[in-house]
Amino acid sequence: MSLSLYDITVPVFIRAFGNLTEILKKGEAFADEKGIAPRELLETRLIDDMYPLTAQIQRASDTAKFVPVRVGRIENLPMADDEVTFADLHARIDKTVAFLKSVDPASMADREDAEVVVKTRSSSTTFTGKSYVLGFALPNFYFHVTTAYAILRHKGVPVGKMDYIGRSQ
């Protein structure tokens, strides 16, 4: 039995969002405990030209959603990128996970060689389903999840590797 594109993405994203939810909860608790305005954490960037915490969650969400949309050709669930509180970020993650759980694995079956085009404002890149997942989507997803973790860690939130990786299930 081989692994499908669905197997190596959707369940992986769902698990990572579970871990990310717990990390965000620790960030909220830390802010409350230390008397830090939540906005200070939510607007933090590792460096000026990087996205703040809120946008890191939004980009992770978008990346996860776009895999079944682009590979499985299913309808996207648009989100407005208007999250400004921890509650908003939790709601975004919950909506993303619900969307991912609704994906029929068959929609992504045998799509390894399917053409996937990623368009930006200035260009477009063509992938196969496999090269998109392995060379773009998974690295991009983990970049944003890792950066969200790093922002909170940088601000002093007591999170560690096991918070990021999560516990075995």
Side-chain angles (χ1 to χ4, degrees):
M1 175 187 221
S2 63
L3 290 174
S4 69
L5 293 180
Y6 176 92
D7 294 332
I8 65 172
T9 57
V10 174
V12 171
F13 296 149
I14 291 169
R15 183 168 190 263
F17 280 126
N19 299 342
L20 187 55
T21 293
E22 295 305 312
I23 290 167
L24 289 174
K25 287 179 183 176
K26 286 188 175 192
E28 289 176 272
F30 178 81
D32 289 344
E33 177 186 317
K34 300 294 183 185
I36 298 170
R39 186 175 175 165
E40 180 180 331
L41 295 180
L42 295 165
E43 293 180 356
T44 294
R45 301 165 187 260
L46 289 180
I47 195 159
D48 291 342
D49 67 350
M50 290 182 76
Y51 287 131
L53 178 61
T54 52
Q56 298 299 335
I57 305 304
Q58 292 161 352
R59 298 297 71 77
S61 166
D62 288 343
T63 300
K65 290 185 308 135
F66 281 139
V67 168
V69 168
R70 290 175 172 149
V71 174
R73 302 167 307 203
I74 66 169
E75 189 71 29
N76 188 24
L77 173 64
M79 295 186 191
D81 293 346
D82 57 2
E83 295 80 14
V84 295
T85 67
F86 278 106
D88 293 342
L89 292 178
H90 288 298
R92 170 93 179 218
I93 289 171
D94 291 346
K95 284 172 51 177
T96 304
V97 168
F99 174 79
L100 292 170
K101 286 181 175 180
S102 76
V103 173
D104 179 357
S107 70
M108 295 174 63
D110 301 318
R111 301 280 299 152
E112 294 81 8
D113 294 320
E115 182 177 87
V116 174
V117 178
V118 177
K119 295 180 182 180
T120 65
R121 289 177 224 169
S122 60
S123 67
S124 68
T125 304
T126 302
F127 299 93
T128 63
K130 181 179 175 181
S131 69
Y132 168 69
V133 164
L134 296 175
F136 181 82
L138 284 170
N140 192 54
F141 176 78
Y142 278 114
F143 172 84
H144 292 293
V145 172
T146 301
T147 303
Y149 165 89
I151 287 169
L152 291 174
R153 181 83 170 123
H154 170 73
K155 294 299 282 186
V157 176
V159 292
K161 185 190 331 186
M162 292 314 296
D163 295 297
Y164 178 85
I165 294 173
R167 306 287 183 234
S168 294
Q169 311 207 351

